[in-house]
Amino acid sequence: MLNKHVKFLVIGSGIAGARAALELAQFGEVIVLSKSKTRESNTEYAQGGIAVTLNKGDCTELHYKDTISAGAGICDRKATKVLVQEGPSKVRELVDWGTKFDKIKGHLDFTLEAAHSRKRILHAKGDATGREISQTLIRRLKALSNIHLWAHCCATDLLIGSSGCEGVRFIDTKNGKIQEIRSNRVLLATGGVGAAFQETTNPSIATGDGFALAVKAGAILSDMEFIQFHPTALKLQGKRRFLLTEALRGEGAYLCDAQGNRFMDKYHPLKELAPRDIVSRAIVQETRKTRDVSAFLDLRHFDPKFIEKRFPTVSSLLFQFNLDPGKNLIPVFPAAHYIMGGIVTDLWGRTSIPGLYAAGEVACTGAHGANRLASNSLLDGLVFGARSGQAMNGPLSKWSLKLVGKSHKTHLLENTETRVKKQHLKEILTAKIGILRNREQLKETLSFLGSIRAKKTCNIHETVTENIRLNGLVIATSALFREESRGAHTRTDMPDRDDENWMKHILVNKNDDAHDISYQDVVITEWEPQIRQY
Ligand code: FAD
Ligand code: SIN
């Protein structure tokens, strides 16, 4: 077995991991693990862009307000402030490093996306923003001799010792061997959990391994009930659900039924540009009424040349499926896209375990509350990736959470090791803890997921299946506990937002046979949250 010690270990090479590694390179040797190829990540597929206040007539205060409004009352104000205030310098840095954002007549071209009050989304190569950013960061990492990029290494367990996190165990998927690397500074930047659901915009590697690793190690997770479903994933029978970027609606695309009738005006004054959770629920409601399997994006009013030039990725995808955006309505339906919750961190990526840090989609600073604003995720990876890198060079210290409120224990049933199919779990998660939830379904899911356990082997498929099961348990536990609807969490049996009882973050951590659940009240420092009107 490999017995290596490295000063800094980063798990994940998406925007958060890559940005952190660049920061750490100033201080010592860094190993960066990736589950698949170095460039395979959610970051690589990001389409719409990155939100940043660099446009004339915009300011961080407006970006802050928009983020807080979309977050449905429970954004952590301090985290949101850091995100929007540090965003501009981090994006300028990307430009200095060679990222080419699209320009018009020599000036950066900002677009609009849902629930932003200003045009503030920078994009690259039309709708290939993530690819451009990822290319820049990885190119820079590859040029540094103290950075080692280890692809096809799937982390399976954190090594926890007397000082806290002391390294990681992983499967080298090229030869199936189990290996360990020791390090006293480990960053989890493993991205989201979309691919634990059957219907998702995420690539297949996004099974939320980092959440499962953290749960097994005893770290505290928060807000795991808040899963964002992107309203417009292409819906074609038997095909993967590809994302059709929100920037299409930002540029004026309509949502309609099969007859071409627009419906968003019934749901929100911002119509197609309402916050994502509202648009997704509207599509579900409309399709229930019309009994169609999807709603539609209408792009027929655009000049076809504009669509081809501004959205080359989307355009070529549609033609690949014989859909002509100038003539056909495009079938869409919501799909799992992003998780607002994650491993609880302070503003510097520190988790509740000394030596373990988290950044990007796997972390939860609370900056996005119950519903993330469009294009704020790439920004989050940049800002908090860089901050984690800085903190990891500092002294070992854990961040202690001050818990307010009762602590509950949910005992899991006796579980039996079984050959459970990954596909089956994904279907259950989509059907029972998807866009609409209720108590009965959540309880059923918990007793099913609690009664089984995937075989423990060195096979990556079984390892990932067990991760999906653990993540499903944490999400269902949190969703059952939150007895209201807020942001992306919709309980059909508790349809109203309840600020009196639920201005709280639900925190979960697992002991051997039980989930401990506690909650932490949300502190409102300014900009009082509003009760949702729609
Ligand atoms: P990722 O980019 O997902 O990187 C995760 C890394 O962790 C990968 O390198 C992976 O190999 C590694 N990893 C995972 N598990 C393991 C393991 N067990 N062992 C070792 N390594 C592991 N956000 C925006 O702001 N703007 C957009 O326009 C936008 N468009 C999007 C479009 C699509 C199709 C999708 C799916 C998401 C989009 N998002 C967008 C969301 C955004 O892309 C992600 O939230 C963000 O890129 C996450 O970055 P990250 O670094 O946290 O994780
Ligand atoms: C999109 O392009 O619609 C995705 C943007 C995001 O996830 O913020």
Side-chain angles (χ1 to χ4, degrees), residues 46-49 113 228 230 232 243-247 249 276 337-338 372-378:
Q47 292 185 359
E113 281 184 0
Q228 182 171 76
H230 196 293
T232 58
L243 179 78
L244 301 178
T245 175
E246 193 153 290
R249 281 174 283 131
R276 251 175 221 177
H337 182 65
Y338 181 85
R372 171 176 66 82
L373 191 63
S375 289
N376 264 355
S377 174
L378 291 175

Side-chain angles (χ1 to χ4, degrees), residues 11-18 33-38 40-51 113 129 153-156 189-192 201-203 205-207 209-210 213 243 245 337-338 359-362 372-379 381 467:
I11 310 176
S13 50
I15 192 164
L33 299 188
S34 317
K35 184 174 176 180
S36 176
K37 293 181 190 154
T38 304
E40 181 65 359
S41 62
N42 276 10
T43 300
E44 181 72 16
Y45 299 98
Q47 292 185 359
I50 185 162
E113 281 184 0
T129 314
C153 296
C154 178
T156 58
T190 43
T201 61
N202 289 196
I205 59 160
T207 46
D209 299 355
L213 263 70
L243 179 78
T245 175
H337 182 65
Y338 181 85
E361 197 171 333
V362 75
R372 171 176 66 82
L373 191 63
S375 289
N376 264 355
S377 174
L378 291 175
L379 193 70
N467 289 346

Side-chain angles (χ1 to χ4, degrees), residues 220-275:
I220 300 175
L221 277 67
S222 178
D223 295 6
M224 290 295 284
E225 65 278 27
F226 296 119
I227 309 243
Q228 182 171 76
F229 292 82
H230 196 293
T232 58
L234 183 64
K235 174 123 188 182
L236 292 173
Q237 189 156 17
K239 301 281 181 262
R240 234 205 78 192
R241 307 291 306 282
F242 292 95
L243 179 78
L244 301 178
T245 175
E246 193 153 290
L248 287 158
R249 281 174 283 131
E251 297 284 357
Y254 304 139
L255 271 170
C256 62
D257 62 19
Q259 276 66 49
N261 302 312
R262 288 174 71 181
F263 53 78
M264 275 312 298
D265 55 350
K266 286 187 266 173
Y267 296 92
H268 198 280
L270 289 171
K271 299 178 194 160
E272 278 84 355
L273 291 180

Side-chain angles (χ1 to χ4, degrees), residues 14 25 55 71 98 125 171 193 207 212 266 272 285 296-297 300 313 349 363 392 424-425 481 484 517:
N55 201 1
K125 302 204 165 56
I171 304 176
V193 70
T207 46
K266 286 187 266 173
E272 278 84 355
Q285 259 175 270
F296 295 85
L297 259 186
R300 293 171 303 175
T313 311
M392 283 167 78
H424 182 48
L425 288 186
F481 199 59
E484 62 154 0
I517 307 169

Side-chain angles (χ1 to χ4, degrees), residues 374-415:
S375 289
N376 264 355
S377 174
L378 291 175
L379 193 70
D380 176 298
L382 269 189
V383 168
F384 292 105
R387 281 187 155 235
S388 304
Q390 285 167 30
M392 283 167 78
N393 189 45
L396 248 200
S397 65
K398 103 169 157 176
W399 173 50
S400 27
L401 279 171
K402 214 173 104 213
L403 294 181
V404 184
K406 286 186 228 149
S407 185
H408 303 251
K409 272 190 204 299
T410 307
H411 286 281
L412 302 180
L413 306 174
E414 278 300 299
N415 60 18

Side-chain angles (χ1 to χ4, degrees), residues 433-451:
I433 45 177
I435 190 161
L436 302 177
R437 296 116 180 230
N438 64 52
R439 175 195 288 271
E440 212 176 302
Q441 288 188 336
L442 291 168
K443 284 196 143 179
E444 263 172 42
T445 311
L446 277 177
S447 53
F448 173 68
L449 295 177
S451 66

